[in-house]
Amino acid sequence: MNKPLVAAGLTALLLGATALPATAVSNEAPGAGQRTAIPAEAKVKAKAVTFAGTVALSNCSGSVVRAPSSQPTDPALVLSNGHCLETGFPGPGQVIVDRPSTRSFTLLNASGGNAGTVRASKIAYGTMTDTDASLYRLTSTYRDIETRYGIKALDLEAAHPQAGRAITVASGYWKRMYKCSVDGFAYQLKEGRWTWKDSLRYTSPCQVIGGTSGSPVIDDATGKVVAVNNTINESGQRCTDNNPCEVDQNGNVTVRRSIGYAQQTYTLVPCIGAGNNIDLNRPGCTLPKPVSAEKHRSPAAR
């Protein structure tokens, strides 16, 4: 995982302070192996992507997002990683829903400046099982945020992303953008104790670092969020922490050193119901569900 900075320590802080952002956009998948061919129709003219709507957490990045069904008067949602939760990494199989939170987020404007602060009322959803995602419900509505700060939420794409599309990983924590393309998709991505499904693989220019965890992955052509950044293979190790490996349908393992990954977010859309409430029983919602006791345990018992 792109370590939250509390866990990353001094090394990540120094790396983050000196590393340059990737700026080249490549439409060619590097190297050989199980990569997806890039269709010619996927090579589209990029739009300008800004920091507007991204947020900085205390240790990660994120963004204010809305589903196609979200209304201006709905409490806004912040998207980040499951491993960025203030409660620590969820264990394999653990799903967190409706847990009270007062976490604050620094909202950025288009140039990456501080537009203001927004605050959570709860962790609406969080897990590191099958995906690595968290959704915070805010005390502010979308209308509140737009009226007070002039910032609109980023739209969640409702469809599976395409290989070859130019993308931007926009880190609110570092106020940096990484530009590359969707190289393809990993059937399974294994890192330490965790396994993620159908992970989006970057082309090599997106050399993401600690603190970029939770950054929105934005399709340059549509401006919509297609994934949430979460990891990179740092040193070429096989399936260890900070060194994810790909596993195909036949169990074959592939290690791609210095290649980064994100978790697709179209799967979140069917689970967002009226009032931006997370409803894991909605038709089409395939997100992992908590065991029955997890939702109802008190924060003190957790």
Side-chain angles (χ1 to χ4, degrees):
M1 284 150 278
N2 304 133
K3 301 175 287 293
L5 292 204
V6 170
L10 183 59
T11 300
L13 285 170
L14 293 175
L15 175 62
T18 57
L20 295 176
T23 56
V25 175
S26 171
N27 282 319
E28 182 178 355
Q34 297 189 16
R35 286 171 161 79
T36 306
I38 299 172
E41 63 270 19
K43 300 179 182 180
V44 294
K45 186 176 180 180
K47 293 181 180 179
V49 175
T50 74
F51 288 105
T54 64
V55 301
L57 286 67
S58 57
N59 58 350
C60 285
S61 301
S63 56
V64 180
V65 296
R66 54 172 292 138
S69 62
S70 298
Q71 300 300 309
T73 54
D74 289 341
L77 298 173
V78 162
L79 169 70
S80 190
N81 284 146
H83 78 259
C84 292
L85 291 170
E86 69 268 36
T87 52
F89 290 13
Q94 183 181 11
V95 178
I96 296 168
V97 294
D98 294 337
R99 182 177 295 188
S101 173
T102 57
R103 195 169 195 181
S104 62
F105 311 89
T106 302
L107 181 67
L108 303 187
N109 60 26
S111 63
N114 183 345
T117 301
V118 292
R119 189 173 297 277
S121 63
K122 66 179 178 180
I123 301 167
Y125 186 84
T127 193
M128 290 177 65
T129 299
D130 293 350
T131 186
D132 182 7
S134 61
L135 284 171
Y136 286 87
R137 184 181 176 98
L138 300 185
T139 57
S140 305
T141 67
Y142 295 113
R143 180 173 292 166
D144 292 337
I145 293 171
E146 187 169 357
T147 299
R148 184 170 182 180
Y149 304 113
I151 302 296
K152 292 184 177 181
L154 298 175
D155 290 318
L156 290 172
E157 175 59 68
H160 193 290
Q162 301 175 32
R165 302 285 284 200
I167 53 174
T168 298
V169 182
S171 171
Y173 187 95
W174 291 116
K175 301 178 176 61
R176 293 178 178 177
M177 292 188 177
Y178 300 79
K179 291 185 174 289
C180 58
S181 297
V182 178
D183 184 37
F185 306 94
Y187 176 71
Q188 287 186 342
L189 194 68
K190 290 184 176 291
E191 180 173 337
R193 297 187 295 148
W194 294 275
T195 300
W196 305 308
K197 297 179 179 179
D198 198 20
S199 301
L200 185 152
R201 183 196 311 117
Y202 304 141
T203 52
S204 57
C206 282
Q207 295 291 306
V208 291
I209 60 174
T212 65
S213 289
S215 299
V217 179
I218 300 168
D219 185 304
D220 289 354
T222 65
K224 294 183 178 181
V225 176
V226 297
V228 57
N229 174 66
N230 80 309
T231 195
I232 189 169
N233 185 293
E234 295 183 356
S235 59
Q237 295 180 29
R238 176 185 170 111
C239 314
T240 62
D241 289 348
N242 307 312
N243 290 281
C245 65
E246 297 184 25
V247 183
D248 68 15
Q249 293 93 322
N250 299 315
N252 299 310
V253 176
T254 301
V255 174
R256 306 186 195 276
R257 183 173 183 173
S258 299
I259 292 298
Y261 299 87
Q263 303 309 308
Q264 298 182 51
T265 49
Y266 79 97
T267 55
L268 300 175
V269 173
C271 308
I272 301 174
N276 265 359
N277 290 300
I278 305 302
D279 182 356
L280 300 179
N281 295 312
R282 294 190 79 226
C285 179
T286 59
L287 290 177
K289 298 179 181 180
V291 295
S292 57
E294 174 64 28
K295 181 174 180 179
H296 301 290
R297 287 161 61 197
S298 68
R302 293 167 177 149

